[in-house]
Amino acid sequence: MKAITLLQPQKIVFGTGCIQTLVEDYKKMGLQRLFVLTAPPIRPLIAEPLAELKAAGISMETYQDIVAEPTVNDFKKILEIARQFKADSVVGIGGGSVLDVTKLVAAFVHSDQQVEDCFGTGFIKAKGLWFACLPTTAGTGSEVSPNAILLDERDHLKKGIVSPFLIADAAYVDPKLTWTVPAKVTADTGMDALTHCIEAYTNKFAHPSVDIYALQGIRLIAANLERAVKDGKDVEAREALAFGSLYGGLCLGPVNTAAVHALSYPLGGEFHIPHGLSNAILLPSVMKFNTPANIKCHAEVAIALGCQPGKNDEETAQRGVDFIYRLAASVGIPDKLTALGIPQTAVDGMAKAAMQVQRLLKNNPREVTEQDARDIYNSLY
């Protein structure tokens, strides 16, 4: 069996209300200057824990204006605020964009490196500040992954930075923080988490030690996403999605994603489509494209999705693809790129841009050529 490196936070806490565990842990560490990144809708949910930290004598600077798809320049402005505050620790409480920026602020606040020089894998030189992540969506799994994404304005493409130094010191997954997430965001981020799990399991570099996370994540999300979209206060469904997202995040370091994510980057980079929605609209088409490369594997995905076995693996795998089409429709994911305001004239440019994301395309179970990318995009018109 090939060797694999499993990276994850030193501490993972899961459970409704576990934000209080962060408060207790932080007060014991002797840190004094906490830089908090979050978003306006989240502030009321975290006001009490932050007030408790202030009462304990912790100096705190809160930044809450992170945009949905942060750019390199957005990040640099936030980094400068953290430097002026002289932060000795960072906590991110939010969706994937908030957590990605949190990780990068912690890594670069005392670094002489430029973030643009670190796109790719393994270019960050050293560990930065202590930092913790608390996700408020069940989607990116960023709280436990070594990845962070920024939009590079120079070529209008979202790019990833991957480093063991972007692994949080602690992740606190509190499903209660997701209860007020709107139905549309729940759907988009849930499909994103499902994509992580499916792409990890069908990946060219899939591994048994990661498969257990991927399959369980698929089971949990497939069974609970529609419930959570219909009723955001369904505590059982919210907890299941939070667990599924966590499992998907644990897949990202050792195995990572593939063509769905590669093809989604131009949608976010040029047209500013949210990351989860970009993945959601592409997932069934890419699954259909990939299935012939490993029919047995895709049949196993179908079973994890809850499909009944067919007469053979090919029929079972097709049932899995059909299930994803139905699930996406049931939670309001559009099936045409025109619904996102993307004209078909953009296909050639998006296909060229997607080909630059070889970091992910190399993982795909089936080779994706530029023409293949065009065909997949065109199938969505």
Side-chain angles (χ1 to χ4, degrees), residues 39-90:
I42 301 163
R43 286 298 293 271
L45 305 178
I46 61 175
E48 195 171 313
L50 295 188
E52 187 174 341
L53 286 174
K54 283 186 178 179
I58 307 301
S59 297
M60 197 176 305
E61 176 81 16
T62 301
Y63 185 89
Q64 64 176 25
D65 296 326
I66 296 175
V67 296
E69 305 291 329
T71 67
V72 169
N73 285 332
D74 292 331
F75 165 70
K76 288 183 175 180
K77 292 174 186 174
I78 298 167
L79 181 64
E80 186 55 35
I81 294 170
R83 285 172 170 167
Q84 290 177 3
F85 174 63
K86 296 180 169 40
D88 65 6
S89 49
V90 188

Side-chain angles (χ1 to χ4, degrees), residues 2-134:
K2 63 186 178 184
I4 193 168
T5 301
L6 300 174
L7 299 170
Q8 62 186 53
Q10 295 176 3
K11 183 170 191 172
I12 300 175
V13 182
F14 184 98
T16 298
C18 74
I19 189 172
Q20 188 60 36
T21 307
L22 163 68
V23 174
E24 300 304 322
D25 288 349
Y26 191 88
K27 288 192 293 187
K28 295 173 184 174
M29 287 191 294
L31 298 168
Q32 290 295 319
R33 301 189 66 79
L34 177 62
F35 190 60
V36 178
L37 294 104
T38 189
I42 301 163
R43 286 298 293 271
L45 305 178
I46 61 175
E48 195 171 313
L50 295 188
E52 187 174 341
L53 286 174
K54 283 186 178 179
I58 307 301
S59 297
M60 197 176 305
E61 176 81 16
T62 301
Y63 185 89
Q64 64 176 25
D65 296 326
I66 296 175
V67 296
E69 305 291 329
T71 67
V72 169
N73 285 332
D74 292 331
F75 165 70
K76 288 183 175 180
K77 292 174 186 174
I78 298 167
L79 181 64
E80 186 55 35
I81 294 170
R83 285 172 170 167
Q84 290 177 3
F85 174 63
K86 296 180 169 40
D88 65 6
S89 49
V90 188
V91 167
I93 311 172
S97 295
V98 170
L99 300 188
D100 284 0
V101 172
T102 296
K103 296 155 84 165
L104 294 172
V105 166
F108 285 90
V109 71
H110 292 317
S111 174
D112 59 0
Q113 290 185 277
Q114 296 298 310
V115 71
E116 304 97 315
D117 297 330
C118 295
F119 287 124
T121 301
F123 294 112
I124 296 178
K125 293 178 182 176
K127 175 82 169 73
L129 301 180
W130 180 95
F131 74 97
C133 291
L134 289 83

Side-chain angles (χ1 to χ4, degrees), residues 147-296:
N147 306 350
I149 307 295
L150 290 176
L151 173 58
D152 188 346
E153 304 98 322
R154 297 172 300 183
D155 51 14
H156 303 287
L157 189 63
K158 292 171 71 173
K159 296 181 180 178
I161 298 175
V162 183
S163 169
F165 301 126
L166 295 183
I167 294 284
D169 294 280
Y172 300 85
V173 184
D174 186 344
K176 189 173 183 179
L177 296 176
T178 71
W179 289 0
T180 57
V181 173
K184 184 181 184 309
V185 178
T186 299
D188 293 351
T189 55
M191 291 296 290
D192 184 23
L194 183 58
T195 302
H196 294 158
C197 296
I198 291 174
E199 289 207 287
Y201 191 75
T202 59
N203 201 294
K204 188 186 294 183
F205 302 103
H207 193 278
S209 63
V210 178
D211 289 346
I212 56 174
Y213 296 135
L215 286 174
Q216 184 63 3
I218 292 169
R219 294 184 190 108
L220 287 168
I221 298 165
N224 290 278
L225 179 57
E226 192 172 356
R227 283 175 55 185
V229 169
K230 288 182 176 178
D231 179 9
K233 294 295 194 295
D234 185 329
V235 175
E236 184 179 64
R238 287 293 196 186
E239 289 181 342
L241 288 187
F243 245 136
S245 177
L246 174 65
Y247 288 138
L250 291 170
C251 296
L252 293 178
V255 174
N256 217 337
T257 56
V260 176
H261 278 69
L263 269 65
S264 80
Y265 281 6
L267 275 66
E270 185 173 353
F271 297 99
H272 306 288
I273 307 302
H275 175 70
L277 178 57
S278 299
N279 285 333
I281 198 169
L282 284 162
L283 176 60
S285 296
V286 175
M287 280 182 69
K288 184 177 180 180
F289 172 83
N290 280 339
T291 296
N294 193 333
I295 293 173
K296 183 177 184 297

